[in-house]
Structures are given as structure tokens and as C-alpha cells.
Amino acid sequence: MRQKIVAGNWKMNKTLVEAQSLTSEIANMAEDEAPGDVQIILAPPYPFLYAVQNLVPELGTIQFAAQNCHQEESGAYTGEVSAQMIKSLGAAYVILGHSERREQAAETNELLAAKVNIALDNNLKVIFCCGESLDIREADKQNEFVTNQLTESLFHLDEEAFKQIIIAYEPIWAIGTGKTASSDQAQDMHAEIRKHIAGKYGETIANSTSILYGGSCKPSNAEELFSQKDVDGGLIGGASLKSRDFMDIIKSF
Ligand code: 3PY
């Protein structure tokens, strides 16, 4: 049995008061409505991480993630945030390699390997994002592109370390565009990712790695996506900013 996960990536949205309201709404709804076997993760912007966690009665069903971390332990990196700081705030996860960071902050597979290492050294679980652009999909090179992202950023890890990784497949052409991969396209890629993991770490680890889908996942398509054999949940962008939509996605399993 793989862990089902729905994670909300709030990106650079909300003020403190709005972030607090959204968290409280989600926590209240989760108590009454969320299926007990789904791990809910909220990834607010860094400055809100500490304040919003105190609004969740008991960390468990709801956990928190940062959206990034720096690759060094500490030092003269003005404006950056370390994995150790994130852990000290009580977060359990960090999202690494989101396509927006790969594009806007020029994050490479090599840099991401360093970020993965420092996150794991600080006992953070990693939600590792991968995914191809439209050009790559149109050239039918998506499988080799995505599996290469995994190889270069993750496959130096030993088995125990790899067990702390959650994969999020986010086709770039489906992020913030309103386009979603069809459930067949999502399933095909998730199966490919799982096969690639099995080739390196074996079937047992591959079959227990949660692989989330991200990219315009919303209440209207979540059920179809989550019903696919290798889709273990979602990394949700825009729809995670509205408590009702986010909860409806969580209830789509
Ligand atoms: C999206 O669905 O837009 C995302 O980028 C989730 O991370």
C-alpha cells in the first residue's frame, strides 16, 4: 500500500492573515471530511510556515512543506533559507525542483541533487518535481527527459535515503495553463517513472514510492486522475488556494 498524498503548493500567494484563514478552513474541513488515509500537506510561502502550523490542532493528517531550500547548510547567502531552518519551524517536507524554479531560478539537475542531500541530512522528506516542456512532449522525448531528471538528481541516494522521496510529475505544459495531461498520459508517465525507480532500487521500493500528479489538477479532474493505478495523489497549484476546491480534491480518492 502506498501513501496517498495531496499537497497544496501555494506558490507566492496570500498575506499572513489570508494564509491563516486558509489553513484554519482546511483544518476544520479535514476534521469532518478528509479520508483518514490521505496525507494532506500544505506548502505556504516561507514566512507563514511557522504561524500557520499552530492553527492545526495536531500535526498528523496535515503536515507542512517549504517550497524550496538552499543547497548549503548555512553561511553568507543573503535572502536564502536553509533546510535546517525549515526543519526547525516544524515542517516535515520540502518541495524541490518545481518547474518554476528550474525555469526562473535556473535550477539544474546537479544543483537539485545538492538540495536533495541537504534536505535529507536535515530529516526533511523531499517532494521532488519532474516534468517535460511542450517541445519535448511534441518530440516524444518525455520519457527519457523525465527519467534523466530522476537519475541525475536522485539516483546517487542509497535505498534508505531514497525512501524519503516522493515524486511529483508535473508536465510543464499543464502548469498554470488550464491544460491537464489526460489520465492516460499521466498513468503512462507514472508507470514509466516507477519502472525507472525499480530498475535502480528494485520493485519493493518502487512499489512503495508515492508518485503525485501536478499540473492543473482540480476538483473536476482529480477523481479520474487519482483512479489511475500509478497515480498516488496530487501536487495542487491554483486549486489549493481555495479551501473548498482543495478539500474536494482530497475527497476524490
Ligand atoms: C500547478 O498545478 O500549477 C502546480 O504547479 C503545482 O505545483
PDB file of all heavy atoms in Angstrom, residues 9 11 95 98-100 129 170 174-177 214-217 235-238, ligand 1:
ATOM      1  N   ASN A   9       0.477  23.469  -3.154  1.00  0.00           N
ATOM      2  CA  ASN A   9       1.610  24.379  -3.380  1.00  0.00           C
ATOM      3  C   ASN A   9       1.040  25.783  -3.579  1.00  0.00           C
ATOM      4  O   ASN A   9       0.514  26.092  -4.640  1.00  0.00           O
ATOM      5  CB  ASN A   9       2.379  23.908  -4.620  1.00  0.00           C
ATOM      6  CG  ASN A   9       3.502  24.850  -5.004  1.00  0.00           C
ATOM      7  OD1 ASN A   9       3.865  25.743  -4.234  1.00  0.00           O
ATOM      8  ND2 ASN A   9       4.045  24.666  -6.201  1.00  0.00           N
ATOM      9  N   LYS A  11       2.543  28.531  -3.779  1.00  0.00           N
ATOM     10  CA  LYS A  11       3.431  29.417  -4.551  1.00  0.00           C
ATOM     11  C   LYS A  11       3.550  30.776  -3.848  1.00  0.00           C
ATOM     12  O   LYS A  11       3.502  30.819  -2.619  1.00  0.00           O
ATOM     13  CB  LYS A  11       2.932  29.527  -5.991  1.00  0.00           C
ATOM     14  CG  LYS A  11       2.747  28.136  -6.628  1.00  0.00           C
ATOM     15  CD  LYS A  11       2.497  28.168  -8.103  1.00  0.00           C
ATOM     16  CE  LYS A  11       2.310  26.735  -8.613  1.00  0.00           C
ATOM     17  NZ  LYS A  11       2.120  26.653 -10.047  1.00  0.00           N
ATOM     18  N   ILE A  95       9.503  20.888  -1.013  1.00  0.00           N
ATOM     19  CA  ILE A  95       9.319  20.677  -2.455  1.00  0.00           C
ATOM     20  C   ILE A  95      10.624  21.111  -3.135  1.00  0.00           C
ATOM     21  O   ILE A  95      11.123  22.205  -2.863  1.00  0.00           O
ATOM     22  CB  ILE A  95       8.150  21.535  -2.993  1.00  0.00           C
ATOM     23  CG1 ILE A  95       6.825  21.150  -2.318  1.00  0.00           C
ATOM     24  CG2 ILE A  95       8.037  21.412  -4.516  1.00  0.00           C
ATOM     25  CD1 ILE A  95       5.654  22.080  -2.653  1.00  0.00           C
ATOM     26  N   HIS A  98      10.624  22.262  -8.542  1.00  0.00           N
ATOM     27  CA  HIS A  98       9.418  22.691  -9.265  1.00  0.00           C
ATOM     28  C   HIS A  98       9.848  23.361 -10.576  1.00  0.00           C
ATOM     29  O   HIS A  98      10.869  24.061 -10.613  1.00  0.00           O
ATOM     30  CB  HIS A  98       8.595  23.662  -8.408  1.00  0.00           C
ATOM     31  CG  HIS A  98       7.226  23.876  -8.972  1.00  0.00           C
ATOM     32  ND1 HIS A  98       6.992  24.728 -10.029  1.00  0.00           N
ATOM     33  CD2 HIS A  98       6.030  23.325  -8.656  1.00  0.00           C
ATOM     34  CE1 HIS A  98       5.706  24.689 -10.326  1.00  0.00           C
ATOM     35  NE2 HIS A  98       5.097  23.847  -9.518  1.00  0.00           N
ATOM     36  N   SER A  99       9.077  23.169 -11.613  1.00  0.00           N
ATOM     37  CA  SER A  99       9.490  23.686 -12.934  1.00  0.00           C
ATOM     38  C   SER A  99       9.631  25.208 -12.921  1.00  0.00           C
ATOM     39  O   SER A  99      10.430  25.767 -13.675  1.00  0.00           O
ATOM     40  CB  SER A  99       8.498  23.266 -14.009  1.00  0.00           C
ATOM     41  OG  SER A  99       7.246  23.827 -13.741  1.00  0.00           O
ATOM     42  N   GLU A 100       8.861  25.880 -12.048  1.00  0.00           N
ATOM     43  CA  GLU A 100       9.016  27.342 -11.985  1.00  0.00           C
ATOM     44  C   GLU A 100      10.403  27.713 -11.466  1.00  0.00           C
ATOM     45  O   GLU A 100      11.012  28.681 -11.914  1.00  0.00           O
ATOM     46  CB  GLU A 100       7.890  27.946 -11.121  1.00  0.00           C
ATOM     47  CG  GLU A 100       6.577  27.921 -11.883  1.00  0.00           C
ATOM     48  CD  GLU A 100       5.326  27.872 -11.021  1.00  0.00           C
ATOM     49  OE1 GLU A 100       5.402  28.067  -9.801  1.00  0.00           O
ATOM     50  OE2 GLU A 100       4.249  27.611 -11.611  1.00  0.00           O
ATOM     51  N   CYS A 129      10.019  17.326  -7.870  1.00  0.00           N
ATOM     52  CA  CYS A 129       9.222  17.565  -9.081  1.00  0.00           C
ATOM     53  C   CYS A 129      10.033  17.274 -10.338  1.00  0.00           C
ATOM     54  O   CYS A 129      11.227  17.601 -10.424  1.00  0.00           O
ATOM     55  CB  CYS A 129       8.778  19.023  -9.145  1.00  0.00           C
ATOM     56  SG  CYS A 129       7.848  19.549  -7.713  1.00  0.00           S
ATOM     57  N   GLU A 170       4.999  16.719 -13.016  1.00  0.00           N
ATOM     58  CA  GLU A 170       4.260  17.918 -13.411  1.00  0.00           C
ATOM     59  C   GLU A 170       4.662  18.315 -14.830  1.00  0.00           C
ATOM     60  O   GLU A 170       5.686  18.982 -15.015  1.00  0.00           O
ATOM     61  CB  GLU A 170       4.587  19.070 -12.468  1.00  0.00           C
ATOM     62  CG  GLU A 170       4.250  18.802 -11.025  1.00  0.00           C
ATOM     63  CD  GLU A 170       3.976  20.087 -10.273  1.00  0.00           C
ATOM     64  OE1 GLU A 170       4.826  20.996 -10.306  1.00  0.00           O
ATOM     65  OE2 GLU A 170       2.903  20.203  -9.696  1.00  0.00           O
ATOM     66  N   ALA A 174       1.258  21.772 -18.593  1.00  0.00           N
ATOM     67  CA  ALA A 174      -0.025  21.719 -17.889  1.00  0.00           C
ATOM     68  C   ALA A 174      -0.019  22.577 -16.627  1.00  0.00           C
ATOM     69  O   ALA A 174      -0.975  22.561 -15.860  1.00  0.00           O
ATOM     70  CB  ALA A 174      -0.343  20.270 -17.537  1.00  0.00           C
ATOM     71  N   ILE A 175       1.064  23.327 -16.396  1.00  0.00           N
ATOM     72  CA  ILE A 175       1.140  24.121 -15.166  1.00  0.00           C
ATOM     73  C   ILE A 175       0.663  25.537 -15.424  1.00  0.00           C
ATOM     74  O   ILE A 175       1.225  26.249 -16.248  1.00  0.00           O
ATOM     75  CB  ILE A 175       2.566  24.119 -14.584  1.00  0.00           C
ATOM     76  CG1 ILE A 175       2.912  22.698 -14.153  1.00  0.00           C
ATOM     77  CG2 ILE A 175       2.691  25.082 -13.426  1.00  0.00           C
ATOM     78  CD1 ILE A 175       4.255  22.563 -13.502  1.00  0.00           C
ATOM     79  N   GLY A 176      -0.401  25.892 -14.718  1.00  0.00           N
ATOM     80  CA  GLY A 176      -0.930  27.252 -14.821  1.00  0.00           C
ATOM     81  C   GLY A 176      -1.490  27.566 -16.197  1.00  0.00           C
ATOM     82  O   GLY A 176      -1.736  28.732 -16.518  1.00  0.00           O
ATOM     83  N   THR A 177      -1.718  26.559 -17.016  1.00  0.00           N
ATOM     84  CA  THR A 177      -2.220  26.792 -18.367  1.00  0.00           C
ATOM     85  C   THR A 177      -3.680  26.373 -18.491  1.00  0.00           C
ATOM     86  O   THR A 177      -4.325  26.648 -19.489  1.00  0.00           O
ATOM     87  CB  THR A 177      -1.434  25.933 -19.386  1.00  0.00           C
ATOM     88  OG1 THR A 177      -1.567  24.559 -19.007  1.00  0.00           O
ATOM     89  CG2 THR A 177       0.029  26.311 -19.431  1.00  0.00           C
ATOM     90  N   GLY A 214       0.854  16.587 -10.874  1.00  0.00           N
ATOM     91  CA  GLY A 214       0.622  18.025 -10.712  1.00  0.00           C
ATOM     92  C   GLY A 214       0.460  18.675 -12.066  1.00  0.00           C
ATOM     93  O   GLY A 214       1.034  18.199 -13.057  1.00  0.00           O
ATOM     94  N   GLY A 215      -0.283  19.734 -12.105  1.00  0.00           N
ATOM     95  CA  GLY A 215      -0.491  20.450 -13.372  1.00  0.00           C
ATOM     96  C   GLY A 215      -1.967  20.587 -13.641  1.00  0.00           C
ATOM     97  O   GLY A 215      -2.586  19.681 -14.211  1.00  0.00           O
ATOM     98  N   SER A 216      -2.537  21.704 -13.164  1.00  0.00           N
ATOM     99  CA  SER A 216      -3.962  21.986 -13.357  1.00  0.00           C
ATOM    100  C   SER A 216      -4.860  20.844 -12.880  1.00  0.00           C
ATOM    101  O   SER A 216      -5.871  20.540 -13.500  1.00  0.00           O
ATOM    102  CB  SER A 216      -4.251  22.350 -14.813  1.00  0.00           C
ATOM    103  OG  SER A 216      -3.496  23.492 -15.174  1.00  0.00           O
ATOM    104  N   CYS A 217      -4.469  20.228 -11.776  1.00  0.00           N
ATOM    105  CA  CYS A 217      -5.341  19.232 -11.138  1.00  0.00           C
ATOM    106  C   CYS A 217      -6.400  20.009 -10.357  1.00  0.00           C
ATOM    107  O   CYS A 217      -6.077  20.933  -9.612  1.00  0.00           O
ATOM    108  CB  CYS A 217      -4.513  18.348 -10.207  1.00  0.00           C
ATOM    109  SG  CYS A 217      -5.459  17.050  -9.421  1.00  0.00           S
ATOM    110  N   LEU A 235      -0.039  17.130  -6.528  1.00  0.00           N
ATOM    111  CA  LEU A 235       0.580  18.378  -6.054  1.00  0.00           C
ATOM    112  C   LEU A 235      -0.229  19.473  -6.732  1.00  0.00           C
ATOM    113  O   LEU A 235      -0.206  19.603  -7.957  1.00  0.00           O
ATOM    114  CB  LEU A 235       2.059  18.435  -6.458  1.00  0.00           C
ATOM    115  CG  LEU A 235       2.827  19.700  -6.073  1.00  0.00           C
ATOM    116  CD1 LEU A 235       2.775  19.956  -4.572  1.00  0.00           C
ATOM    117  CD2 LEU A 235       4.291  19.613  -6.506  1.00  0.00           C
ATOM    118  N   ILE A 236      -0.962  20.214  -5.927  1.00  0.00           N
ATOM    119  CA  ILE A 236      -2.014  21.085  -6.453  1.00  0.00           C
ATOM    120  C   ILE A 236      -1.562  22.538  -6.405  1.00  0.00           C
ATOM    121  O   ILE A 236      -1.139  23.019  -5.350  1.00  0.00           O
ATOM    122  CB  ILE A 236      -3.319  20.933  -5.615  1.00  0.00           C
ATOM    123  CG1 ILE A 236      -3.600  19.457  -5.257  1.00  0.00           C
ATOM    124  CG2 ILE A 236      -4.502  21.589  -6.314  1.00  0.00           C
ATOM    125  CD1 ILE A 236      -3.792  18.529  -6.438  1.00  0.00           C
ATOM    126  N   GLY A 237      -1.709  23.242  -7.510  1.00  0.00           N
ATOM    127  CA  GLY A 237      -1.360  24.663  -7.555  1.00  0.00           C
ATOM    128  C   GLY A 237      -2.581  25.517  -7.235  1.00  0.00           C
ATOM    129  O   GLY A 237      -3.052  25.556  -6.099  1.00  0.00           O
ATOM    130  N   GLY A 238      -3.106  26.189  -8.254  1.00  0.00           N
ATOM    131  CA  GLY A 238      -4.197  27.161  -8.072  1.00  0.00           C
ATOM    132  C   GLY A 238      -5.350  26.659  -7.212  1.00  0.00           C
ATOM    133  O   GLY A 238      -5.853  27.395  -6.346  1.00  0.00           O
TER     134      GLY A 238
HETATM  135  C1  3PY B   1       0.200  23.561 -10.634  1.00  0.00           C
HETATM  136  O1  3PY B   1      -0.648  22.679 -10.647  1.00  0.00           O
HETATM  137  O2  3PY B   1       0.037  24.646 -11.194  1.00  0.00           O
HETATM  138  C2  3PY B   1       1.456  23.356  -9.948  1.00  0.00           C
HETATM  139  O3  3PY B   1       2.448  23.908 -10.338  1.00  0.00           O
HETATM  140  C3  3PY B   1       1.507  22.528  -8.715  1.00  0.00           C
HETATM  141  O4  3PY B   1       2.767  22.557  -8.138  1.00  0.00           O
END
